[in-house]
Every structure is written in C-alpha cells, then in structure tokens.
Amino acid sequence: MIEQNTATTIGAAAAPPPPEKLLSKPVALIQLVVFSAIGLIMFFVPFTIGEKSTILFDHGATYLVNQQHTLSVTLLFLLMLYGVSKPFIDGSWRKNITHMIMTVFKVIGLILAVMYITGTAPAVMMETDMLPFLFEKLALPVGMIVPLGALILAFLVGFGLLEMVGVLMQPIMKPIWKTPGSSAIDAVASFVGSYSIGLLITNRVYLQKQYSAREAIIIATGFSTVSAAFMVIVAKTLGLMEFWNVFFWSTLVITFIVTAITARIPPISLFDDEVERPDLDHTRGTRLAAAFDLGLSTLRRATDLKQILWSNFRDGLTMAAAIVPSIIAVGLTGLLLAKYTPVFDALGLLLYPFTWLGGLPEPLVAAKGMSAGLAEMFLPALLLSEADILTRYVAGVISISSVLFFSAMIPCVLATEIPVSVGKMVIIWFERVVLSILLAAAFGQLAMYLNWIG
C-alpha cells in the first residue's frame, strides 16, 4: 500500500479499487479519526501506572518482562529460534558475504543466550555489565516491545494518517532535503515503522528511476532510522522515558536537520543527481484538502482490520526475531572491545573535540561511548546508561540520528541497488554523529535550563 502511494501525486491519485471493496465515506471518516487517535495516544500520551509514567504499550511490555518473566523468556527464545532458522530455511544466508556474516552473528547470539540462561558462559561474559545486562535489559525488552510497537503502529501507518502526512510534507522536501515530495512517505514510514520498510520503498522507487542516485542515498542514509518502537528501548535504557515526548520530537527534528546538512556536503553532494520524472500537479484544490482526500481514500480501501493488524504484528515479530540474536552477539562484541581494547578509545578521539565543544561533563568518556554506535546503534545507550542526564540525552539522540551501523543498517543498504559504498557510509556516519552531538548538546542544555529534562 505504501509503495503504491509513493507514486501518488496530489490531484492524480491511483485508480481506486472496485466500489464493492470500499468503506463508505462516513465510516471511513470515523475510523480515520478514531484509529489515528488510538495510535497517537498509545505512542505519545504518558500514563502513570504503579508510580511509573510512560506510554501505554511500554507498560504492557514492562509487565511481560517483570511480572511474566518466564513467559517473556520463553517467547524470546522462540523469536530467536525463528530468527536463526529463517536464513537457512529461505536460503538467504548464502545471498552474499554480508548475509553470511549476519547469519553467523545470529547463531552466536542464540548460543550466548542459552549459555546465559544455563549459567555456562565464561565468567568474563557473566559480569553484570555484559551478558546479564544485554539479555535482561536489552534483548528481553526489545523482544517484547518491537512486536507490540508494530501492532500499535498499524494505527499510525495503516489507516490514512501516514499518507496525509506525506502529502502535507511535499512542499518542503525539495528545498530542505533535496528530495522529491513523494520521499516524505519514505521518511515517515521509516521513522514510525521500520528502516527496512523505508529502504524497500527507496530501492524500488530508485529502480523505477523516480529517484536520482543522490536522492536515493539521502533518503537511505538520512531518513531510514530505527523505528519509534526502538526509540522506546533507547529511552528506557538511558532513563529518559519520563521525558519521552521531549526526547522523541527533539530527536526527530535533530535527525532531519542533520540530513538537510549532509545532503549539501560531500560525499553525498558529489553523487549524480540526474533523473527524469514528471512534475507534480499541485493545482487541484488546497494541499490540506488533498491530504485529507488521500488519507480518506486510503482508509476506505482498508476494509480488513484484522489483516492490517496481523500484517504489522507479523512484521514486528520478523524484525525482532532478526534483530535480537544479532544484538546479543554484536552487542557483547562491542562491550568486550570497549572494556578490554583501545578500539573505541581511538575512534572516540576523533569525536572528543566535538563532545568537548558541546559542553558534555566527561567529553572523552562520552566520545568513546558514542563512537561505539558504528558497530551497533544500542551501544552508546548501553555504555553511557549511568552517565549524567545531558550525556544520556545526547547519547540517545546519537543512537537514532546516526542512522548507519554495522549490525543491521549498513548490510541492509548494501543489499539494495543504491550505489553507496561502505567507506562512504562510514564517512556519512561520522558527519552525522558530529552534527548530532553539537545540535543535541545545545538543545539538551536548553531543555535542562527550561526544566524539560533533568
């Protein structure tokens, strides 16, 4: 559905399906309001339950992890077994060297999880800040939150709200981000859904020659963030859920400001920007009316509520199954490297001038922790979870706004036809982290002054 809407222009919507499959306009209007409200409330309105203030589906995931621990561990192992076996069942493990490496990490992650549960892991891995932390504080919450979050996201992305936002964003996409208006759908789909979905859309539109190489790279490296469900994990790890709305919206703004800047500097600015596509027709009616009409027509086709909810939940299960075992393996590797080797110390030295300039209380420690995000986007949150509030906030923003990381995102980009190399992605990652540090540090200090966080 999203891919179809990517090609949709204002006043030139795709041909509607047969009338008998459409909801009536009054019913569609009611559902548009109700379902959008459900999604917005579930994701952005905190509720206090048992002296803990957070969003509703996080309460549900926390209940599973804490009060139903045995059940959640069982479900997690079922997810990991599925995630490990899937590449062998569908043969995707031998697609290329990247898939082979990630499959190996998934197998190692499952083995490590078994060793942790059975208490047979080496002592160095059983230290409280190693496997116990990765399994109890990261893998379990991810395994529960991502499927639940995907289910709730159906109300934001499956019933017209996504398309409405895409149309309303069209006038500002080209002047600010150097991408066509239709890329707004990619951006929103990634931020509230999944970077894999965003990359799938981007790759297909690029192959249809509707994006230039430069536009495709801007979208892939600047819009294809981890989802809002993963942002909850980062916020929980860093103790930021009390300030969830400030964290979410500031991270979204900072991420897209950074994308606007990186689109104008090398290496992205040096890529070919030639493309042939028809001009969009903006002459029919007002943009708000066009956005409303597109959202309503999308919802009128969304006649199977159970199928939409199941499809999103299934995607969440698939993503969690793929991510959790590799998070354990790559995460442990990163933590061991950070604790026992100078790898991230060396990389952190490159970021040190910027953490110092940003006014972080322990700039070298912060730089080292944030540099680990190149390996896995969760590592800055893991390594800096006990830091001061400003450093934790900046680390949370970095985990999202850096976009690129080796445990999942970079291999996903390499699996597409988007013409960007690993070396250039590492340069883009560095640029994004530097800009994010400076912007997040500035906003974080302002937010602390205004008592928005602290």
Side-chain angles (χ1 to χ4, degrees):
M1 180 181 68
I2 296 175
E3 295 158 37
Q4 180 186 33
N5 288 333
T6 304
T8 301
T9 60
I10 297 178
E20 63 271 13
K21 294 184 179 180
L22 295 178
L23 294 172
S24 67
K25 284 188 176 182
V27 172
L29 178 59
I30 293 171
Q31 290 192 0
L32 177 62
V33 174
V34 171
F35 291 158
S36 297
I38 290 173
L40 292 170
I41 289 170
M42 293 291 282
F43 252 105
F44 300 117
V45 179
F47 291 85
T48 300
I49 301 177
E51 299 184 355
K52 179 183 178 182
S53 178
T54 186
I55 52 180
L56 280 175
F57 83 87
D58 182 39
H59 279 299
T62 300
Y63 171 79
L64 283 174
V65 171
N66 295 336
Q67 275 69 50
Q68 301 293 331
H69 190 265
T70 301
L71 174 61
S72 61
V73 169
T74 302
L75 293 173
L76 185 71
F77 270 95
L78 290 174
L79 275 175
M80 286 194 290
L81 284 170
Y82 172 60
V84 170
S85 61
K86 188 175 183 293
F88 297 102
I89 294 172
D90 60 22
S92 61
W93 71 272
R94 56 175 175 260
K95 183 176 180 181
N96 54 45
I97 188 65
T98 301
H99 280 75
M100 292 181 186
I101 293 172
M102 294 312 300
T103 300
V104 169
F105 271 116
K106 289 177 185 178
V107 173
I108 293 173
L110 178 59
I111 294 171
L112 289 171
V114 172
M115 292 172 68
Y116 168 71
I117 290 296
T118 58
T120 56
V124 67
M125 295 183 184
M126 291 299 286
E127 294 178 12
T128 54
D129 59 348
M130 292 293 171
L131 272 182
F133 185 85
L134 283 169
F135 190 90
E136 301 291 348
K137 302 299 183 183
L138 185 57
L140 265 181
V142 166
M144 301 303 106
I145 282 179
V146 172
L148 286 176
L151 183 64
I152 302 305
L153 280 168
F155 293 100
L156 293 179
V157 304
F159 300 101
L161 184 63
L162 176 70
E163 288 74 16
M164 290 179 65
V165 171
V167 172
L168 293 173
M169 287 287 287
Q170 281 187 7
I172 65 173
M173 296 304 293
K174 192 67 176 179
I176 297 179
W177 290 287
K178 303 291 187 181
T179 59
S182 57
S183 65
I185 293 176
D186 298 49
V188 178
S190 295
F191 213 97
V192 302
S194 160
Y195 60 80
S196 58
I197 294 174
L199 281 175
L200 175 65
I201 298 170
T202 304
N203 188 50
R204 292 192 177 181
V205 177
Y206 173 68
L207 292 176
Q208 293 168 359
K209 302 187 185 303
Q210 295 298 306
Y211 290 158
S212 69
R214 187 191 303 175
E215 289 169 346
I217 293 166
I218 292 170
I219 296 165
T221 64
F223 293 159
S224 299
T225 64
V226 295
S227 70
F230 277 86
M231 289 182 68
V232 174
I233 301 292
V234 171
K236 282 173 64 69
T237 303
L238 290 165
L240 300 174
M241 283 305 294
E242 184 180 351
F243 322 107
W244 166 248
N245 276 304
V246 173
F247 174 67
F248 177 89
W249 293 109
S250 62
T251 300
L252 183 147
V253 171
I254 290 170
T255 298
F256 290 160
I257 290 175
V258 169
T259 299
I261 297 172
T262 55
R264 290 167 166 79
I265 60 177
I268 292 179
S269 64
L270 301 179
F271 281 92
D272 177 47
D273 199 31
E274 293 297 318
V275 65
E276 294 183 9
R277 57 173 171 258
D279 293 332
L280 297 179
D281 176 13
H282 298 299
T283 60
R284 302 183 187 179
T286 66
R287 182 166 299 276
L288 182 60
F292 179 76
D293 287 344
L294 180 57
L296 197 61
S297 64
T298 299
L299 202 151
R300 291 186 70 195
R301 296 193 295 272
T303 56
D304 194 338
L305 175 60
K306 292 181 180 178
Q307 176 58 34
I308 292 171
L309 293 176
W310 166 244
S311 177
N312 277 268
F313 183 62
R314 182 188 60 211
D315 289 346
L317 288 174
T318 301
M319 176 173 286
I323 293 293
V324 168
S326 61
I327 280 176
I328 294 176
V330 176
L332 182 64
T333 302
L335 289 175
L336 290 171
L337 288 174
K339 190 169 185 176
Y340 297 108
T341 77
V343 170
F344 293 122
D345 290 317
L347 188 55
L349 287 175
L350 297 175
L351 296 178
Y352 170 72
F354 305 102
T355 54
W356 174 82
L357 190 61
L360 301 189
E362 295 184 85
L364 189 57
V365 173
K368 176 183 174 181
M370 292 171 193
S371 68
L374 181 59
E376 160 59 45
M377 56 81 59
F378 280 122
L379 286 180
L382 293 177
L383 295 172
L384 298 171
S385 60
E386 301 299 323
D388 61 280
I389 183 65
L390 178 60
T391 300
R392 282 185 282 132
Y393 168 75
V394 175
V397 174
I398 297 299
S399 294
I400 310 305
S401 65
S402 59
V403 176
L404 298 162
F405 53 97
F406 273 106
S407 69
M409 182 60 192
I410 290 176
C412 284
V413 176
L414 292 175
T416 71
E417 300 299 321
I418 299 169
V420 59
S421 65
V422 172
K424 290 214 170 38
M425 281 193 276
V426 171
I427 295 172
I428 295 167
W429 169 85
F430 182 76
E431 292 174 346
R432 295 191 65 86
V433 171
V434 167
L435 292 167
S436 298
I437 288 172
L438 297 176
L439 290 170
F443 178 81
Q445 293 185 56
L446 175 64
M448 291 173 64
Y449 176 77
L450 297 173
N451 290 320
W452 291 350
I453 63 173

